[in-house]
Amino acid sequence: MKRFRFSLETVLKLRSLKEEEEIRRLSLVVSKLNTLISEKENNEREIQSSYEAILSSAKVGTSLSDYLSIEQYIKGLIRRNEEIDHRIENQTHEVNLVRKDVMVARMNKKVIEVLKDKRFLEWKKKRNRMERRDVEEFNFQLSKQTLFDPSENFGPKASKKIPKTFKILNREDGGDELASDFKTLRDFYEKYYLGQGKS
């Protein structure tokens, strides 16, 4: 029997590539989102540090211009974080959209994978049925050859040979034991019933 071939293998490969492409897209948009979150956290630490600098400098005396400079710096960081918040919101929305695309691509690939698994199981059952038929046919031919062999002596002292047959396994797991049993049976037949092993 021919080896298993899946007719939609090309479609499966294309859908696998599509899934990989969507995963790469997701990785990029998540990376951008993480960069924005990291920048916002750094700005918040800088704002906190600037407030602490104002408090500590008040004890030793700081000019009004220095206070105003720090205050302007803090306000700039706060405005920047407000912009980042808006960008984080947009980027989060984009991440969610790309996640959906990944899920759709993964589902489309899974449909073909399930179909492939189903077809493989059907092929395996068919192969096992054919192997069982071959063994049954061989057993039949073996018993026919033994029972009606004209070269045998059918005198009163002749002992009637009982053909050796093999149990037919009802296997559905696709193992190679049936093929091995069939080869053993064929070797036995050739050795003992085709005259190669007779003394």
PDB file of all heavy atoms in Angstrom, residues 15 18-27 29 95-109:
ATOM      1  N   ARG A  15      -0.973  27.777   5.959  1.00  0.00           N
ATOM      2  CA  ARG A  15      -1.633  28.255   7.180  1.00  0.00           C
ATOM      3  C   ARG A  15      -0.665  28.303   8.359  1.00  0.00           C
ATOM      4  O   ARG A  15      -0.793  29.168   9.227  1.00  0.00           O
ATOM      5  CB  ARG A  15      -2.840  27.377   7.489  1.00  0.00           C
ATOM      6  CG  ARG A  15      -3.946  27.572   6.459  1.00  0.00           C
ATOM      7  CD  ARG A  15      -5.274  27.051   6.889  1.00  0.00           C
ATOM      8  NE  ARG A  15      -6.283  27.312   5.869  1.00  0.00           N
ATOM      9  CZ  ARG A  15      -7.553  26.991   5.967  1.00  0.00           C
ATOM     10  NH1 ARG A  15      -7.977  26.367   7.051  1.00  0.00           N
ATOM     11  NH2 ARG A  15      -8.405  27.269   5.002  1.00  0.00           N
ATOM     12  N   LYS A  18       1.180  31.507   7.855  1.00  0.00           N
ATOM     13  CA  LYS A  18       0.321  32.630   8.235  1.00  0.00           C
ATOM     14  C   LYS A  18       0.294  32.798   9.748  1.00  0.00           C
ATOM     15  O   LYS A  18       0.376  33.919  10.263  1.00  0.00           O
ATOM     16  CB  LYS A  18      -1.099  32.383   7.696  1.00  0.00           C
ATOM     17  CG  LYS A  18      -2.112  33.464   8.047  1.00  0.00           C
ATOM     18  CD  LYS A  18      -1.779  34.782   7.395  1.00  0.00           C
ATOM     19  CE  LYS A  18      -2.855  35.814   7.667  1.00  0.00           C
ATOM     20  NZ  LYS A  18      -2.475  37.153   7.170  1.00  0.00           N
ATOM     21  N   GLU A  19       0.203  31.681  10.470  1.00  0.00           N
ATOM     22  CA  GLU A  19       0.208  31.740  11.933  1.00  0.00           C
ATOM     23  C   GLU A  19       1.527  32.328  12.444  1.00  0.00           C
ATOM     24  O   GLU A  19       1.535  33.200  13.322  1.00  0.00           O
ATOM     25  CB  GLU A  19      -0.004  30.344  12.516  1.00  0.00           C
ATOM     26  CG  GLU A  19      -0.025  30.338  14.034  1.00  0.00           C
ATOM     27  CD  GLU A  19       0.047  28.948  14.625  1.00  0.00           C
ATOM     28  OE1 GLU A  19       0.594  28.045  13.971  1.00  0.00           O
ATOM     29  OE2 GLU A  19      -0.437  28.774  15.754  1.00  0.00           O
ATOM     30  N   GLU A  20       2.648  31.899  11.868  1.00  0.00           N
ATOM     31  CA  GLU A  20       3.959  32.422  12.277  1.00  0.00           C
ATOM     32  C   GLU A  20       4.056  33.926  11.999  1.00  0.00           C
ATOM     33  O   GLU A  20       4.610  34.684  12.805  1.00  0.00           O
ATOM     34  CB  GLU A  20       5.072  31.678  11.535  1.00  0.00           C
ATOM     35  CG  GLU A  20       5.250  30.243  12.001  1.00  0.00           C
ATOM     36  CD  GLU A  20       6.202  29.455  11.118  1.00  0.00           C
ATOM     37  OE1 GLU A  20       6.868  30.069  10.253  1.00  0.00           O
ATOM     38  OE2 GLU A  20       6.268  28.217  11.278  1.00  0.00           O
ATOM     39  N   GLU A  21       3.521  34.343  10.847  1.00  0.00           N
ATOM     40  CA  GLU A  21       3.537  35.778  10.497  1.00  0.00           C
ATOM     41  C   GLU A  21       2.735  36.596  11.511  1.00  0.00           C
ATOM     42  O   GLU A  21       3.175  37.661  11.956  1.00  0.00           O
ATOM     43  CB  GLU A  21       2.951  35.942   9.098  1.00  0.00           C
ATOM     44  CG  GLU A  21       2.881  37.382   8.619  1.00  0.00           C
ATOM     45  CD  GLU A  21       2.130  37.516   7.298  1.00  0.00           C
ATOM     46  OE1 GLU A  21       2.110  36.556   6.514  1.00  0.00           O
ATOM     47  OE2 GLU A  21       1.552  38.596   7.078  1.00  0.00           O
ATOM     48  N   GLU A  22       1.560  36.094  11.892  1.00  0.00           N
ATOM     49  CA  GLU A  22       0.726  36.814  12.867  1.00  0.00           C
ATOM     50  C   GLU A  22       1.394  36.849  14.248  1.00  0.00           C
ATOM     51  O   GLU A  22       1.290  37.845  14.966  1.00  0.00           O
ATOM     52  CB  GLU A  22      -0.656  36.152  12.971  1.00  0.00           C
ATOM     53  CG  GLU A  22      -1.501  36.233  11.705  1.00  0.00           C
ATOM     54  CD  GLU A  22      -1.799  37.665  11.272  1.00  0.00           C
ATOM     55  OE1 GLU A  22      -1.709  38.586  12.105  1.00  0.00           O
ATOM     56  OE2 GLU A  22      -2.129  37.864  10.087  1.00  0.00           O
ATOM     57  N   ILE A  23       2.085  35.768  14.603  1.00  0.00           N
ATOM     58  CA  ILE A  23       2.798  35.750  15.892  1.00  0.00           C
ATOM     59  C   ILE A  23       3.922  36.786  15.885  1.00  0.00           C
ATOM     60  O   ILE A  23       4.146  37.467  16.899  1.00  0.00           O
ATOM     61  CB  ILE A  23       3.341  34.333  16.181  1.00  0.00           C
ATOM     62  CG1 ILE A  23       2.172  33.396  16.514  1.00  0.00           C
ATOM     63  CG2 ILE A  23       4.339  34.345  17.329  1.00  0.00           C
ATOM     64  CD1 ILE A  23       2.546  31.932  16.607  1.00  0.00           C
ATOM     65  N   ARG A  24       4.623  36.922  14.750  1.00  0.00           N
ATOM     66  CA  ARG A  24       5.668  37.956  14.649  1.00  0.00           C
ATOM     67  C   ARG A  24       5.067  39.352  14.778  1.00  0.00           C
ATOM     68  O   ARG A  24       5.629  40.231  15.452  1.00  0.00           O
ATOM     69  CB  ARG A  24       6.423  37.823  13.319  1.00  0.00           C
ATOM     70  CG  ARG A  24       7.461  36.717  13.316  1.00  0.00           C
ATOM     71  CD  ARG A  24       8.407  36.833  12.132  1.00  0.00           C
ATOM     72  NE  ARG A  24       7.723  36.627  10.871  1.00  0.00           N
ATOM     73  CZ  ARG A  24       7.552  35.429  10.295  1.00  0.00           C
ATOM     74  NH1 ARG A  24       8.019  34.349  10.878  1.00  0.00           N
ATOM     75  NH2 ARG A  24       6.909  35.317   9.152  1.00  0.00           N
ATOM     76  N   ARG A  25       3.922  39.571  14.125  1.00  0.00           N
ATOM     77  CA  ARG A  25       3.238  40.868  14.241  1.00  0.00           C
ATOM     78  C   ARG A  25       2.877  41.163  15.693  1.00  0.00           C
ATOM     79  O   ARG A  25       3.058  42.285  16.185  1.00  0.00           O
ATOM     80  CB  ARG A  25       1.943  40.852  13.406  1.00  0.00           C
ATOM     81  CG  ARG A  25       2.120  41.264  11.965  1.00  0.00           C
ATOM     82  CD  ARG A  25       0.778  41.325  11.253  1.00  0.00           C
ATOM     83  NE  ARG A  25      -0.086  42.325  11.819  1.00  0.00           N
ATOM     84  CZ  ARG A  25      -1.412  42.217  11.963  1.00  0.00           C
ATOM     85  NH1 ARG A  25      -2.023  41.119  11.574  1.00  0.00           N
ATOM     86  NH2 ARG A  25      -2.121  43.180  12.486  1.00  0.00           N
ATOM     87  N   LEU A  26       2.348  40.144  16.372  1.00  0.00           N
ATOM     88  CA  LEU A  26       1.971  40.319  17.778  1.00  0.00           C
ATOM     89  C   LEU A  26       3.188  40.666  18.621  1.00  0.00           C
ATOM     90  O   LEU A  26       3.125  41.545  19.492  1.00  0.00           O
ATOM     91  CB  LEU A  26       1.307  39.042  18.300  1.00  0.00           C
ATOM     92  CG  LEU A  26       0.870  39.065  19.763  1.00  0.00           C
ATOM     93  CD1 LEU A  26      -0.171  40.157  20.013  1.00  0.00           C
ATOM     94  CD2 LEU A  26       0.320  37.706  20.190  1.00  0.00           C
ATOM     95  N   SER A  27       4.296  40.002  18.345  1.00  0.00           N
ATOM     96  CA  SER A  27       5.526  40.269  19.088  1.00  0.00           C
ATOM     97  C   SER A  27       5.960  41.728  18.930  1.00  0.00           C
ATOM     98  O   SER A  27       6.386  42.376  19.899  1.00  0.00           O
ATOM     99  CB  SER A  27       6.631  39.327  18.595  1.00  0.00           C
ATOM    100  OG  SER A  27       7.844  39.613  19.228  1.00  0.00           O
ATOM    101  N   VAL A  29       4.010  44.436  18.105  1.00  0.00           N
ATOM    102  CA  VAL A  29       3.116  45.421  18.744  1.00  0.00           C
ATOM    103  C   VAL A  29       3.203  45.330  20.268  1.00  0.00           C
ATOM    104  O   VAL A  29       3.092  46.349  20.960  1.00  0.00           O
ATOM    105  CB  VAL A  29       1.651  45.267  18.253  1.00  0.00           C
ATOM    106  CG1 VAL A  29       1.533  45.614  16.778  1.00  0.00           C
ATOM    107  CG2 VAL A  29       1.084  43.890  18.524  1.00  0.00           C
ATOM    108  N   VAL A  95      -2.800  45.721  20.001  1.00  0.00           N
ATOM    109  CA  VAL A  95      -2.368  44.405  20.504  1.00  0.00           C
ATOM    110  C   VAL A  95      -3.552  43.438  20.530  1.00  0.00           C
ATOM    111  O   VAL A  95      -3.442  42.276  20.119  1.00  0.00           O
ATOM    112  CB  VAL A  95      -1.725  44.530  21.902  1.00  0.00           C
ATOM    113  CG1 VAL A  95      -1.604  43.161  22.580  1.00  0.00           C
ATOM    114  CG2 VAL A  95      -0.359  45.190  21.809  1.00  0.00           C
ATOM    115  N   ASN A  96      -4.691  43.920  21.010  1.00  0.00           N
ATOM    116  CA  ASN A  96      -5.883  43.058  21.082  1.00  0.00           C
ATOM    117  C   ASN A  96      -6.355  42.615  19.702  1.00  0.00           C
ATOM    118  O   ASN A  96      -6.765  41.462  19.518  1.00  0.00           O
ATOM    119  CB  ASN A  96      -7.011  43.777  21.825  1.00  0.00           C
ATOM    120  CG  ASN A  96      -6.712  43.950  23.307  1.00  0.00           C
ATOM    121  OD1 ASN A  96      -5.956  43.169  23.881  1.00  0.00           O
ATOM    122  ND2 ASN A  96      -7.283  44.963  23.916  1.00  0.00           N
ATOM    123  N   LEU A  97      -6.277  43.531  18.723  1.00  0.00           N
ATOM    124  CA  LEU A  97      -6.672  43.174  17.355  1.00  0.00           C
ATOM    125  C   LEU A  97      -5.735  42.116  16.770  1.00  0.00           C
ATOM    126  O   LEU A  97      -6.190  41.155  16.143  1.00  0.00           O
ATOM    127  CB  LEU A  97      -6.665  44.421  16.461  1.00  0.00           C
ATOM    128  CG  LEU A  97      -7.778  45.443  16.707  1.00  0.00           C
ATOM    129  CD1 LEU A  97      -7.586  46.665  15.811  1.00  0.00           C
ATOM    130  CD2 LEU A  97      -9.150  44.827  16.459  1.00  0.00           C
ATOM    131  N   VAL A  98      -4.435  42.305  16.980  1.00  0.00           N
ATOM    132  CA  VAL A  98      -3.464  41.347  16.434  1.00  0.00           C
ATOM    133  C   VAL A  98      -3.594  39.998  17.148  1.00  0.00           C
ATOM    134  O   VAL A  98      -3.445  38.948  16.522  1.00  0.00           O
ATOM    135  CB  VAL A  98      -2.019  41.899  16.531  1.00  0.00           C
ATOM    136  CG1 VAL A  98      -1.011  40.869  16.043  1.00  0.00           C
ATOM    137  CG2 VAL A  98      -1.882  43.175  15.715  1.00  0.00           C
ATOM    138  N   ARG A  99      -3.909  40.021  18.453  1.00  0.00           N
ATOM    139  CA  ARG A  99      -4.141  38.757  19.177  1.00  0.00           C
ATOM    140  C   ARG A  99      -5.294  37.980  18.551  1.00  0.00           C
ATOM    141  O   ARG A  99      -5.229  36.755  18.424  1.00  0.00           O
ATOM    142  CB  ARG A  99      -4.465  39.059  20.648  1.00  0.00           C
ATOM    143  CG  ARG A  99      -3.239  39.157  21.522  1.00  0.00           C
ATOM    144  CD  ARG A  99      -3.565  38.921  22.991  1.00  0.00           C
ATOM    145  NE  ARG A  99      -2.372  39.108  23.791  1.00  0.00           N
ATOM    146  CZ  ARG A  99      -2.167  40.105  24.645  1.00  0.00           C
ATOM    147  NH1 ARG A  99      -3.106  41.010  24.814  1.00  0.00           N
ATOM    148  NH2 ARG A  99      -1.040  40.181  25.320  1.00  0.00           N
ATOM    149  N   LYS A 100      -6.335  38.706  18.163  1.00  0.00           N
ATOM    150  CA  LYS A 100      -7.475  38.046  17.491  1.00  0.00           C
ATOM    151  C   LYS A 100      -7.041  37.439  16.164  1.00  0.00           C
ATOM    152  O   LYS A 100      -7.458  36.333  15.810  1.00  0.00           O
ATOM    153  CB  LYS A 100      -8.610  39.046  17.276  1.00  0.00           C
ATOM    154  CG  LYS A 100      -9.354  39.398  18.555  1.00  0.00           C
ATOM    155  CD  LYS A 100     -10.445  40.415  18.294  1.00  0.00           C
ATOM    156  CE  LYS A 100     -11.115  40.818  19.601  1.00  0.00           C
ATOM    157  NZ  LYS A 100     -12.118  41.884  19.395  1.00  0.00           N
ATOM    158  N   ASP A 101      -6.180  38.171  15.418  1.00  0.00           N
ATOM    159  CA  ASP A 101      -5.674  37.648  14.143  1.00  0.00           C
ATOM    160  C   ASP A 101      -4.864  36.373  14.362  1.00  0.00           C
ATOM    161  O   ASP A 101      -4.948  35.429  13.571  1.00  0.00           O
ATOM    162  CB  ASP A 101      -4.813  38.701  13.433  1.00  0.00           C
ATOM    163  CG  ASP A 101      -5.636  39.871  12.916  1.00  0.00           C
ATOM    164  OD1 ASP A 101      -6.867  39.713  12.793  1.00  0.00           O
ATOM    165  OD2 ASP A 101      -5.042  40.933  12.636  1.00  0.00           O
ATOM    166  N   VAL A 102      -4.066  36.363  15.443  1.00  0.00           N
ATOM    167  CA  VAL A 102      -3.289  35.154  15.778  1.00  0.00           C
ATOM    168  C   VAL A 102      -4.227  33.995  16.072  1.00  0.00           C
ATOM    169  O   VAL A 102      -4.019  32.870  15.597  1.00  0.00           O
ATOM    170  CB  VAL A 102      -2.345  35.413  16.973  1.00  0.00           C
ATOM    171  CG1 VAL A 102      -1.743  34.104  17.486  1.00  0.00           C
ATOM    172  CG2 VAL A 102      -1.241  36.384  16.598  1.00  0.00           C
ATOM    173  N   MET A 103      -5.279  34.252  16.848  1.00  0.00           N
ATOM    174  CA  MET A 103      -6.233  33.201  17.201  1.00  0.00           C
ATOM    175  C   MET A 103      -6.933  32.647  15.960  1.00  0.00           C
ATOM    176  O   MET A 103      -7.118  31.437  15.831  1.00  0.00           O
ATOM    177  CB  MET A 103      -7.263  33.741  18.197  1.00  0.00           C
ATOM    178  CG  MET A 103      -6.701  33.965  19.594  1.00  0.00           C
ATOM    179  SD  MET A 103      -7.873  34.781  20.695  1.00  0.00           S
ATOM    180  CE  MET A 103      -9.161  33.553  20.792  1.00  0.00           C
ATOM    181  N   VAL A 104      -7.310  33.546  15.038  1.00  0.00           N
ATOM    182  CA  VAL A 104      -7.971  33.100  13.800  1.00  0.00           C
ATOM    183  C   VAL A 104      -7.013  32.253  12.970  1.00  0.00           C
ATOM    184  O   VAL A 104      -7.382  31.180  12.463  1.00  0.00           O
ATOM    185  CB  VAL A 104      -8.477  34.318  12.984  1.00  0.00           C
ATOM    186  CG1 VAL A 104      -8.897  33.897  11.590  1.00  0.00           C
ATOM    187  CG2 VAL A 104      -9.637  34.987  13.702  1.00  0.00           C
ATOM    188  N   ALA A 105      -5.754  32.716  12.827  1.00  0.00           N
ATOM    189  CA  ALA A 105      -4.759  31.963  12.049  1.00  0.00           C
ATOM    190  C   ALA A 105      -4.504  30.604  12.684  1.00  0.00           C
ATOM    191  O   ALA A 105      -4.384  29.592  11.982  1.00  0.00           O
ATOM    192  CB  ALA A 105      -3.454  32.762  11.956  1.00  0.00           C
ATOM    193  N   ARG A 106      -4.441  30.567  14.010  1.00  0.00           N
ATOM    194  CA  ARG A 106      -4.204  29.301  14.724  1.00  0.00           C
ATOM    195  C   ARG A 106      -5.384  28.345  14.536  1.00  0.00           C
ATOM    196  O   ARG A 106      -5.202  27.151  14.339  1.00  0.00           O
ATOM    197  CB  ARG A 106      -3.972  29.612  16.200  1.00  0.00           C
ATOM    198  CG  ARG A 106      -3.514  28.439  17.026  1.00  0.00           C
ATOM    199  CD  ARG A 106      -2.966  28.907  18.359  1.00  0.00           C
ATOM    200  NE  ARG A 106      -1.658  29.503  18.199  1.00  0.00           N
ATOM    201  CZ  ARG A 106      -1.116  30.362  19.063  1.00  0.00           C
ATOM    202  NH1 ARG A 106      -1.785  30.740  20.132  1.00  0.00           N
ATOM    203  NH2 ARG A 106       0.091  30.843  18.860  1.00  0.00           N
ATOM    204  N   MET A 107      -6.607  28.897  14.589  1.00  0.00           N
ATOM    205  CA  MET A 107      -7.801  28.077  14.419  1.00  0.00           C
ATOM    206  C   MET A 107      -7.868  27.509  12.988  1.00  0.00           C
ATOM    207  O   MET A 107      -8.178  26.334  12.792  1.00  0.00           O
ATOM    208  CB  MET A 107      -9.048  28.891  14.722  1.00  0.00           C
ATOM    209  CG  MET A 107     -10.346  28.094  14.667  1.00  0.00           C
ATOM    210  SD  MET A 107     -11.789  29.120  14.989  1.00  0.00           S
ATOM    211  CE  MET A 107     -11.768  30.198  13.566  1.00  0.00           C
ATOM    212  N   ASN A 108      -7.552  28.359  11.992  1.00  0.00           N
ATOM    213  CA  ASN A 108      -7.561  27.907  10.596  1.00  0.00           C
ATOM    214  C   ASN A 108      -6.557  26.779  10.371  1.00  0.00           C
ATOM    215  O   ASN A 108      -6.827  25.825   9.632  1.00  0.00           O
ATOM    216  CB  ASN A 108      -7.257  29.073   9.651  1.00  0.00           C
ATOM    217  CG  ASN A 108      -8.407  30.054   9.570  1.00  0.00           C
ATOM    218  OD1 ASN A 108      -9.550  29.718   9.883  1.00  0.00           O
ATOM    219  ND2 ASN A 108      -8.111  31.281   9.168  1.00  0.00           N
ATOM    220  N   LYS A 109      -5.399  26.889  11.007  1.00  0.00           N
ATOM    221  CA  LYS A 109      -4.398  25.821  10.892  1.00  0.00           C
ATOM    222  C   LYS A 109      -4.876  24.563  11.601  1.00  0.00           C
ATOM    223  O   LYS A 109      -4.712  23.449  11.097  1.00  0.00           O
ATOM    224  CB  LYS A 109      -3.078  26.302  11.499  1.00  0.00           C
ATOM    225  CG  LYS A 109      -1.965  25.271  11.460  1.00  0.00           C
ATOM    226  CD  LYS A 109      -0.730  25.804  12.151  1.00  0.00           C
ATOM    227  CE  LYS A 109      -0.187  24.754  13.076  1.00  0.00           C
ATOM    228  NZ  LYS A 109       0.929  25.201  13.890  1.00  0.00           N
TER     229      LYS A 109
END
